[in-house]
Amino acid sequence: MNPTESQAATLPEGIAEVICDAEAIGATTDLLAERIATDYRDRKVLVVGVLKGALFFTADLARALQRAGMAPDQIILDFIAVSSYGNAHRSSGEVRLLKDTSESVEGRHVLIVEDIVDNGHTLHYLRAVFGGRGPASLAACALLDKPYHRCVEVPVEYVGMEAPDEFVVGYGLDYQESYRHLPYLARLHPWVYRD
Ligand code: IMP
Ligand code: MG
């Protein structure tokens, strides 16, 4: 068995190829954390992870911020949950807030943490929601950016890496709610979409 065959043999059903492994995701997260820790040097930041997709990234980023030198009381973690309508591959403009923050946003330095920014609707909606609540500052961090099909211009202050112009799963990203738990980013076999 050659290396490609042995790798394919150990991949979960439906996964065609790993496009970014856990080590590369970790290195990207550390670089982002260093930039954020520098920018928020003397400030407390309310880190708001967007569920479900940013679950793992938010957790890993928070720990990377600590390694990058932020003090324990500088990092406050919170989560929101949104659902975007559309098909399994792409969200529509209609975004709904399913779970709000438990922390108050007013007067806080808010950092929205997203898995991926694609057409931009989700982040655009979230920036409007949080921006209307009187934060001291508002910024967004996304592990992945897909700039190819942007429908709305939306600032993303911290971008981990550009994603290929195709559907990716793993590390929080799902296809019909599956594959989120995989520790890497991967491409699916085309047959998965046909079933
Ligand atoms: P948008 O910027 O409004 O398109 O929203 C981004 C959301 O679309 C993400 O939070 C994901 O839920 C979903 N999404 C976009 N591209 C992908 C992908 O390649 N894999 C999995 N989910 C994606
Ligand atoms: Mg999704």
Side-chain angles (χ1 to χ4, degrees), residues 50 53 84 88-92 95 114-123 146 150 166-169 173-175 180:
V50 183
S84 317
H89 297 255
R90 184 146 286 133
S91 68
S92 69
V95 185
E114 266 278 31
D115 50 357
I116 188 166
V117 180
D118 183 16
N119 61 34
H121 284 305
T122 308
L123 186 57
K146 270 189 185 174
R150 233 15 148 254
E166 62 181 326
F167 199 75
V168 295
V169 297
L173 293 158
D174 71 306
Y175 174 65
R180 286 193 201 276

Side-chain angles (χ1 to χ4, degrees), residues 28 54 64 101 151 154 156 161 186:
T28 301
T101 55
C151 298
V154 62
V156 192
M161 54 190 149

Side-chain angles (χ1 to χ4, degrees), residues 35-114:
R35 284 181 54 205
I36 294 167
T38 304
D39 292 353
Y40 288 83
R41 216 164 25 255
D42 306 315
R43 294 183 277 166
K44 275 191 185 187
V45 55
L46 181 63
V47 177
V48 180
V50 183
L51 298 174
K52 300 175 195 170
L55 166 65
F56 301 108
F57 178 48
T58 308
D60 288 341
L61 181 68
R63 291 183 288 205
L65 287 173
Q66 193 264 327
R67 285 197 298 278
M70 288 186 79
D73 71 348
Q74 271 188 289
I75 306 163
I76 315 294
L77 265 181
D78 208 337
F79 289 93
I80 54 167
V82 294
S83 80
S84 317
Y85 294 94
N87 60 30
H89 297 255
R90 184 146 286 133
S91 68
S92 69
E94 198 186 337
V95 185
R96 198 156 53 108
L97 196 57
L98 301 177
K99 180 219 169 294
D100 210 333
T101 55
S102 31
E103 293 292 313
S104 162
V105 161
E106 197 179 345
R108 313 283 284 271
H109 295 285
V110 177
L111 179 68
I112 301 170
V113 180
E114 266 278 31

